[in-house]
Amino acid sequence: MILTGFINDPYAASRLLKFSTDFPLIHIDHSRKIFDNIGNTNTFIWNTMMRGYLQRNCPKKAIFIYELMLEHYVCPDKYTYPILVQASAVRFSEWEGRELHDHVIKLGFDSDVYVQNTLINMYAVCDNIGDARKVFDKSPVLDSVSWNSMLAGYVQTGNLEEAMVIYDQMPERNLIASNSMIVLLGRSGCVSEASQLFNSMDEKDLVSWTALISCYEQNEMYEEALLVFSQLNSDTRMVDEVVVVSVLSACTHLSAFKTGKLVHGLALKIGFACYINLQNALIHMYSTCGDISAAEQLFNLGYHLDQISWNSMISGYLKCGSVENARVLFDSMPERDIVSWSAMISGYAQLDQFSETLELFQQMQLEEIRPDETTLVSVISACTHLAAFDQGRWIHAYIRKSNLNVNVILGTTLIDMYMKFGCVESALEVFSSMEAKGVSTWNALILGLAMNGLIVRSLEMFSEMKKFGAVPNEITFMGVLGACRHMGLVDEGRHHFDSMTQEHNIEPNVKHYGCMVDLFGRAGLLEEAEKLIETMPMPPDDATWGALLGACKKHGDSEMGERVGRKLIELQPNHDGFHVLLSNIYASKGNWNDVLEVRGTMMKQSVVKTPGCSMIEANGVVHEFLAGDKTHPHINEIEKMLDEIAKRLEMLGYVPDTNEVSLDIDEEEKATTLFRHSERLAIAFGLIAISQPTPIRVMKNLRICNDCHAAVKLISRSFNLEMIFSPSKALLDGASNGLDSSVGSDYKKWGFKSPGICSISTGLSSLREAVRSHLALSPAHVH
């Protein structure tokens, strides 16, 4: 055409250019060269070039061609502006679309229905539904595309009310409009309305079925989603990738592994199993259902892996507990996004590898990756479990400095951290500053206040919770019953326990019964506690039996203690806590032969007593101490401080309670053993390493013994320091031999409201308040 000169013929050149831009194997740059060599252009040729750029996803170049068109004084026509407005919509460039809208009005094309439809779509895509509606209302002619475009805009913005108005006013409700409404109804949670609309449709296509299946899947009605899919499949209709992805999601949530495998087989049979979205859904399904090898095989054979593929595989490894494989994959990723970091950090935290959690978070900071709320929740949880209070406070300061949104989960985690470290005021500050509070937030506050000895305030918060319309759940009543248990409020505990079924329709679980058994046991109502265990509607767990056994030891009921202890060892021969408690009961009576028998049984059955472990943070580093530990680098300084502590305690009249040592040794050796308990080593190190008056915070895996409990209060008084003891995850889970209830028998003497395991201190405001109200001591004594 160039040689013959036909390239200058507008008609011949336009046909050549249209073929070039429409044919996918011809590069758009080659089409541009043809366009540049056309001598006599017309509006059709310019429109063809602009449309070519738009079809090849180069909308910005289409706008540039329009600018050249105006410079060459070529007049646009009514076909020009739909192309350009669509290009602006693709770029989400509303200001560009507005300028084109001005041109449309000036040139008089605003009455063209095709132009109007693209303008409606452009404004809707750019989330300006108000201007889209203005164009719609002013259009002199409306066709089905106009109505569908306006409806699509409301669907996109989630405006169900206006969408229903448009849908009801449509002269003709076509298939596209009905499908859009099913999608919007599903997103809005109106499942029954979506189902009714689907059933009323005379004609249905694959999009209709897909919309209904997705509607059920999005609203967690997974069985219904599978039922609709079976109807679609039995109707011999062709399914596509989108349907299969939704169905696999339903299979994953239902753990319907066999159904998921059948869907996988269907995808292989039809031939689109290699699509990346489907591959990712399959990886997620197999790993969630426990077949990590199948997920691994899909990942290794994947042709086009994307970021979601890598993240899904890492999450799959973590769900199956293969943290090492997850880390290897994480380290080998070509590119890591925030989801990758969050998945790996959360995985470490969920698998109780808290040191690795903080280590990886530090690496994330060095690579200048901004964490999201999910990541920070895991990091704060790790700080709590590791007694890393300084790091936890730094994370909170980082949240404030970065203006991150403190949502319900993040705020609840912060409250939990501060409560476990004894910082009640900081926890209350976080609670007050939260805009949205969930049931979990109230639960953390109620549990935390009870743990810190503020029993009255804890129960007051329970009343406030109900006033604010938050509905209590099982965990709420764990906190309420725990508060009653700590203060010995037997009647109030009974009232709240009965109210669970009578007022809130909550069936008490084994943990609630365990709280009541502990409440009765602490109050000395041992027979009532045993009777409650015998009448429980479910088998009692270890913690429930342990509470009764510990109460027997505390109140000196050796007969019941021996009977219960023997029974429990028969039921749970590998439970170290039961063996130790029974041994302690025998030791308290001086029955050393029986003590040796229990210890011998433990050795024979390879039952190992969990050693006492205490953690303390100093200068950003967490130190661990075991009972009798002599391996710490500063052990010499610690020994000297222990001697200083012993001298001060002796001056205050402290006498070691050697009954806590269940060994047949002389009294002097018993006293020495008590002074080597892990918490005392931690305190001695804290007095050396932590600058005063910073509080000393110790986290324990076992409950503190009576003697250490008494000694710690005197140490706090002697050094005029606030000392706070917090429970570790093992103790909170009841996974230790800390099942006895011997803690806090003399709390009332010191004015503490709670016989709990946290916040042992003579410096807390709660203690001063309690001492004044309960003991009426002078201000000097209070100080």
Side-chain angles (χ1 to χ4, degrees):
M1 288 183 67
I2 294 172
L3 289 173
T4 58
F6 282 118
I7 194 70
N8 294 318
D9 179 72
Y11 178 77
S14 66
R15 303 314 299 165
L16 175 65
L17 182 63
K18 188 174 188 314
F19 171 80
S20 177
T21 54
D22 288 346
F23 198 69
L25 297 182
I26 298 178
H27 199 279
I28 191 65
D29 290 346
H30 183 76
S31 300
R32 177 61 187 273
K33 288 181 180 178
I34 295 175
F35 173 79
D36 290 339
N37 278 279
I38 297 175
N40 298 319
T41 60
N42 58 22
T43 304
F44 180 85
I45 291 173
W46 287 88
N47 290 346
T48 302
M49 193 66 238
M50 284 185 279
R51 187 180 293 107
Y53 274 128
L54 182 60
Q55 290 170 347
R56 304 297 178 90
N57 200 25
C58 301
K60 188 175 182 179
K61 292 185 177 180
I63 301 295
F64 177 72
I65 293 294
Y66 175 65
E67 293 173 354
L68 286 178
M69 180 182 186
L70 297 180
E71 289 177 7
H72 285 76
Y73 300 102
V74 179
C75 291
D77 60 14
K78 64 179 182 180
Y79 301 107
T80 306
Y81 289 103
I83 300 169
L84 297 170
V85 173
Q86 191 176 350
S88 300
V90 171
R91 298 183 64 202
F92 300 102
S93 178
E94 185 183 346
W95 67 269
E96 212 167 55
R98 282 187 176 281
E99 287 192 348
L100 291 168
H101 193 177
D102 289 341
H103 290 204
V104 166
I105 294 172
K106 288 177 181 178
L107 295 176
F109 295 123
D110 52 324
S111 60
D112 184 84
V113 66
Y114 188 29
V115 175
Q116 294 291 331
N117 290 343
T118 53
L119 284 169
I120 293 170
N121 176 69
M122 183 273 296
Y123 283 120
V125 165
C126 295
D127 289 333
N128 188 347
I129 197 68
D131 284 348
R133 184 59 186 266
K134 288 179 182 178
V135 175
F136 178 84
D137 291 338
K138 291 180 180 179
S139 297
V141 180
L142 296 173
D143 60 5
S144 61
V145 177
S146 312
W147 289 94
N148 286 336
S149 298
M150 195 65 243
L151 180 63
Y154 284 125
V155 169
Q156 181 179 314
T157 56
N159 192 331
L160 178 60
E161 185 178 348
E162 290 295 331
M164 288 295 295
V165 171
I166 289 291
Y167 184 72
D168 291 339
Q169 292 178 352
M170 290 182 74
E172 183 181 352
R173 298 172 190 170
N174 55 26
L175 191 59
I176 296 174
S178 298
N179 291 343
S180 297
M181 282 306 302
I182 294 174
V183 170
L184 180 56
L185 289 167
R187 289 178 187 168
S188 304
C190 304
V191 182
S192 59
E193 291 83 350
S195 179
Q196 289 174 7
L197 177 57
F198 177 84
N199 293 328
S200 67
M201 292 168 61
D202 296 328
E203 180 187 358
K204 303 180 184 73
D205 61 3
L206 182 57
V207 177
S208 314
W209 289 88
T210 304
L212 186 61
I213 292 171
S214 299
C215 167
Y216 283 127
E217 186 267 332
Q218 289 167 2
N219 289 277
E220 301 181 2
M221 298 174 67
Y222 305 115
E223 294 180 356
E224 289 81 355
L226 294 183
L227 180 62
V228 174
F229 176 71
S230 66
Q231 295 171 356
L232 168 65
N233 199 29
S234 64
D235 201 18
T236 65
R237 297 173 185 266
M238 182 66 70
V239 299
D240 65 359
E241 174 196 6
V242 180
V243 178
V244 174
V245 168
S246 295
V247 171
L248 285 173
S249 174
C251 292
T252 303
H253 284 95
L254 291 173
S255 298
F257 183 57
K258 291 183 178 179
T259 306
K261 288 184 71 175
L262 291 173
V263 174
H264 186 189
L266 177 64
L268 289 170
K269 181 179 178 181
I270 295 175
F272 54 76
C274 60
Y275 289 7
I276 186 63
N277 290 337
L278 186 55
Q279 282 185 345
N280 293 339
L282 286 166
I283 291 171
H284 181 58
M285 187 271 294
Y286 279 118
S287 60
T288 302
C289 294
D291 193 349
I292 194 64
S293 59
E296 197 172 35
Q297 185 177 5
L298 279 167
F299 180 81
N300 292 332
L301 295 176
Y303 294 105
H304 305 288
L305 299 176
D306 62 4
Q307 195 72 35
I308 298 175
S309 312
W310 289 83
N311 292 339
S312 298
M313 197 64 227
I314 289 172
S315 298
Y317 278 132
L318 292 169
K319 285 174 184 175
C320 297
S322 303
V323 66
E324 295 84 5
N325 289 336
R327 184 58 189 267
V328 169
L329 196 63
F330 176 82
D331 290 336
S332 63
M333 288 183 73
E335 184 179 350
R336 293 188 284 261
D337 60 7
I338 183 59
V339 178
S340 317
W341 286 96
S342 182
M344 198 68 227
I345 289 173
S346 300
Y348 274 135
Q350 289 164 8
L351 294 171
D352 295 348
Q353 298 191 21
F354 303 115
S355 298
E356 290 81 358
T357 302
L358 296 185
E359 180 184 348
L360 190 59
F361 178 70
Q362 184 180 18
Q363 182 182 336
M364 182 181 182
Q365 292 291 293
L366 292 173
E367 296 191 20
E368 298 182 351
I369 306 295
R370 180 183 171 90
D372 60 6
E373 289 81 0
T374 305
T375 308
L376 293 172
V377 165
S378 299
V379 175
I380 293 169
S381 177
C383 292
T384 304
H385 289 115
L386 290 175
F389 181 56
D390 290 343
Q391 295 185 53
R393 283 194 303 181
W394 182 88
I395 297 294
H396 191 193
Y398 175 85
I399 292 170
R400 284 193 295 246
K401 184 178 179 181
S402 303
N403 292 320
L404 291 173
N405 176 39
V406 180
N407 57 24
V408 171
I409 299 175
L410 183 57
T412 302
T413 309
L414 282 169
I415 292 170
D416 178 66
M417 179 192 73
Y418 279 124
M419 285 297 188
K420 285 177 180 173
F421 286 126
C423 299
V424 177
E425 295 304 321
S426 297
L428 290 171
E429 182 184 336
V430 173
F431 180 82
S432 300
S433 64
M434 291 175 63
E435 295 182 3
K437 300 177 180 70
V439 175
S440 60
T441 314
W442 288 96
N443 290 347
L445 192 68
I446 292 168
L447 288 163
L449 289 170
M451 183 184 293
N452 282 278
L454 301 171
I455 306 303
V456 174
R457 198 165 185 184
S458 174
L459 296 175
E460 286 175 352
M461 280 298 170
F462 176 59
S463 300
E464 288 291 313
M465 174 186 182
K466 292 188 288 186
K467 287 180 183 177
F468 276 89
V471 180
N473 59 14
E474 293 89 347
I475 299 174
T476 313
F477 280 98
M478 283 296 299
V480 172
L481 295 176
C484 296
R485 175 186 62 185
H486 284 290
M487 200 169 180
L489 303 174
V490 176
D491 292 336
E492 189 161 356
R494 283 198 187 100
H495 165 72
H496 288 300
F497 184 77
D498 294 338
S499 73
M500 290 179 65
T501 52
Q502 295 172 4
E503 296 180 25
H504 302 283
N505 295 320
I506 298 174
E507 287 297 325
N509 59 35
V510 68
K511 294 187 181 296
H512 298 116
Y513 280 97
C515 278
M516 292 303 295
V517 170
D518 199 11
L519 172 61
F520 293 146
R522 288 176 185 239
L525 305 173
L526 301 181
E527 293 183 1
E528 188 171 352
E530 187 176 22
K531 184 178 180 181
L532 181 61
I533 290 178
E534 292 172 352
T535 57
M536 284 172 60
M538 74 285 292
D541 62 359
D542 296 346
T544 304
W545 281 115
L548 178 59
L549 189 57
C552 293
K553 177 181 177 293
K554 175 182 177 181
H555 293 286
D557 193 334
S558 303
E559 183 180 346
M560 181 184 288
E562 289 180 34
R563 174 167 49 82
V564 172
R566 289 286 185 185
K567 179 181 180 181
L568 293 182
I569 288 176
E570 291 177 10
L571 295 173
Q572 296 281 350
N574 296 320
H575 196 288
D576 64 322
F578 295 151
H579 286 85
V580 171
L581 279 172
L582 181 58
S583 174
N584 291 345
I585 290 173
Y586 285 137
S588 65
K589 295 172 61 179
N591 296 341
W592 299 111
N593 290 332
D594 292 329
V595 171
L596 291 174
E597 180 189 344
V598 174
R599 302 279 172 156
T601 303
M602 291 177 69
M603 292 181 63
K604 189 182 297 184
Q605 296 177 346
S606 301
V607 179
V608 181
K609 177 186 179 298
T610 304
C613 176
S614 297
M615 293 181 290
I616 184 172
E617 182 185 37
N619 302 318
V621 179
V622 177
H623 300 257
E624 285 188 350
F625 293 91
L626 297 176
D629 197 351
K630 292 187 177 181
T631 61
H632 196 276
H634 298 283
I635 189 62
N636 293 330
E637 295 94 322
I638 293 171
E639 295 280 2
K640 291 179 182 178
M641 181 55 70
L642 285 173
D643 292 338
E644 175 65 22
I645 291 172
K647 291 176 184 177
R648 295 198 183 196
L649 290 180
E650 187 176 356
M651 291 173 63
L652 293 172
Y654 162 77
V655 178
D657 182 4
T658 54
N659 291 325
E660 292 292 332
V661 182
S662 303
L663 300 172
D664 189 12
I665 55 179
D666 60 43
E667 293 299 307
E668 185 177 351
E669 287 183 276
K670 287 184 177 182
T672 303
T673 301
L674 288 171
F675 267 91
R676 307 286 313 179
H677 278 189
S678 64
E679 53 264 55
R680 303 207 194 185
L681 294 172
I683 289 172
F685 174 73
L687 291 170
I688 297 167
I690 298 175
S691 301
Q692 297 185 13
T694 304
I696 291 178
R697 291 180 169 84
V698 178
M699 182 169 285
K700 280 214 65 183
N701 70 325
L702 305 180
R703 288 194 178 190
I704 189 170
C705 72
N706 279 335
D707 181 75
C708 287
H709 169 233
V712 167
K713 292 186 292 184
L714 291 174
I715 296 170
S716 174
R717 175 178 168 187
S718 174
F719 287 87
N720 193 27
L721 269 179
E722 186 174 323
M723 296 184 183
I724 300 169
F725 278 64
S726 304
S728 70
K729 186 177 186 294
L731 181 51
L732 289 173
D733 292 344
S736 67
N737 73 342
L739 293 168
D740 64 79
S741 307
S742 60
V743 184
S745 58
D746 58 349
Y747 262 98
K748 290 183 180 178
K749 181 174 67 180
W750 283 80
F752 272 83
K753 298 180 183 178
S754 164
I757 54 177
C758 188
S759 297
I760 300 173
S761 165
T762 58
L764 289 175
S765 59
S766 59
L767 174 61
R768 292 196 294 271
E769 176 190 15
V771 170
R772 287 196 182 100
S773 60
H774 290 283
L775 302 183
L777 294 179
S778 67
H781 285 106
V782 172
H783 178 74

